[in-house]
Amino acid sequence: MRKTWIVLLLLLNGCQIRTLNPHSQVAGDQAMLIYLSFAIMIVVMAVVFILLFRFAWKYKQTAKNKDDVPEEINSNKRLEITWTLFPVLLLAILAIPTVMITYQVSPKTTNEADSTAAGEGAIHIQVTAERFDWTFTYENGRQSDQLVLPVNEQAVLHLQSEDVIHSFWVPELGGKQDVIPGKEILFKVTPDKTGTFLGKCAEFCGVNHALMTFDTNVLHNQAYQTWLQGK
Ligand SMILES: [Cu+2]
């Protein structure tokens, strides 16, 4: 029994919710949606549970009201309007930012991107997913198994797959974005903090799927330029 608890504690300790520690605009927007829907859920839960316990307590059977028959009610306009408007309002609060953010962060394929030009001066990196590796090709031709990005600059990742569907995901920076064979998908990201973030494939793609990870290094601009010129 004691061993079980220790294992459980160790497991919990390993669970860092990195999605809630965003370091880019996209990831920040995604985390905001998680917080917003969580807050709405808490409000709904609170109302439901308070009413549930209140009614259970108020109308519980006692020796005094044992033979009471409840009064028959046909309708109650005020109540009906309230329980219709309240959920509609909550859904609207959830739907408006969800739709806006989804459209905003939704990656474009190259054709679509022609009309919504990627930010000027952005860095373009080719990202190739292949069972079970990621290859990053930079503007000067340098190839690496690491994604290296300069901080506070927009990078446009050109996601391509050589074989099956993969999914690009760096929890702190955003995703998950499906990488689909035969398509080039553009994913824009502007990291706002230097550091090393773990990236992974988030779409089951075969036996070694779990090993399909990569490091993302976000560097200061100067360090990025130096790295880019290296081998
Ligand atoms: Cu994969």
Side-chain angles (χ1 to χ4, degrees):
M1 192 60 202
R2 205 161 136 215
K3 264 190 198 153
T4 319
W5 280 111
I6 293 171
V7 171
L8 262 177
L9 275 177
L10 283 174
L11 279 176
L12 281 175
N13 202 27
C15 287
Q16 292 175 345
I17 308 178
R18 292 182 293 132
T19 325
L20 299 180
N21 183 24
H23 287 303
S24 81
Q25 175 77 41
V26 182
D29 288 345
Q30 290 176 338
M32 195 278 280
L33 282 182
I34 296 176
Y35 282 123
L36 179 66
S37 42
F38 188 72
I40 291 179
M41 185 195 79
I42 294 289
V43 171
V44 173
M45 250 179 59
V47 171
V48 169
F49 275 89
I50 289 170
L51 291 180
L52 176 76
F53 286 110
R54 182 157 182 263
F55 286 143
W57 181 257
K58 188 172 173 189
Y59 298 108
K60 70 176 190 291
Q61 199 182 52
T62 58
K64 219 169 82 189
N65 69 7
K66 208 167 63 137
D67 301 319
D68 278 5
V69 178
E71 183 193 345
E72 247 186 65
I73 299 167
N74 275 325
S75 70
N76 183 328
K77 258 212 186 96
R78 212 199 275 173
L79 257 183
E80 284 161 16
I81 289 173
T82 310
W83 75 49
T84 307
L85 278 188
F86 192 58
V88 167
L89 190 73
L90 288 183
L91 285 180
I93 294 174
L94 188 60
I96 292 167
T98 303
V99 171
M100 276 171 56
I101 290 173
T102 306
Y103 272 95
Q104 210 178 335
V105 305
S106 174
K108 312 273 185 290
T109 59
T110 6
N111 290 340
E112 290 169 315
D114 291 340
S115 51
T116 54
E120 252 178 62
I123 295 155
H124 291 261
I125 300 169
Q126 302 290 329
V127 180
T128 311
E130 187 179 3
R131 287 191 289 184
F132 302 92
D133 283 306
W134 296 90
T135 310
F136 302 93
T137 311
Y138 297 81
E139 280 167 326
N140 66 352
R142 174 157 192 192
Q143 283 201 332
S144 172
D145 58 358
Q146 281 184 7
L147 175 58
V148 181
L149 298 171
V151 70
N152 294 327
E153 277 188 53
Q154 191 182 55
V156 181
L157 307 180
H158 296 246
L159 305 172
Q160 278 176 297
S161 168
E162 292 285 303
D163 38 40
V164 298
I165 299 176
H166 299 277
S167 179
F168 175 90
W169 191 34
V170 184
E172 284 94 339
L173 300 184
K176 313 160 176 174
Q177 175 53 49
D178 274 2
V179 188
I180 299 161
K183 255 190 188 182
E184 186 178 279
I185 292 164
L186 304 189
F187 185 75
K188 294 183 210 166
V189 62
T190 310
D192 63 15
K193 187 179 176 250
T194 56
T196 302
F197 310 113
L198 182 70
K200 58 176 91 179
C201 175
E203 180 79 55
F204 182 66
C205 56
V207 277
N208 282 338
H209 159 73
L211 305 178
M212 196 168 162
T213 57
F214 60 92
D215 276 339
T216 304
N217 287 320
V218 180
L219 306 174
H220 286 295
N221 193 289
Q222 201 63 45
Y224 173 75
Q225 294 303 336
T226 312
W227 178 86
L228 204 58
Q229 301 313 322
K231 293 205 189 90

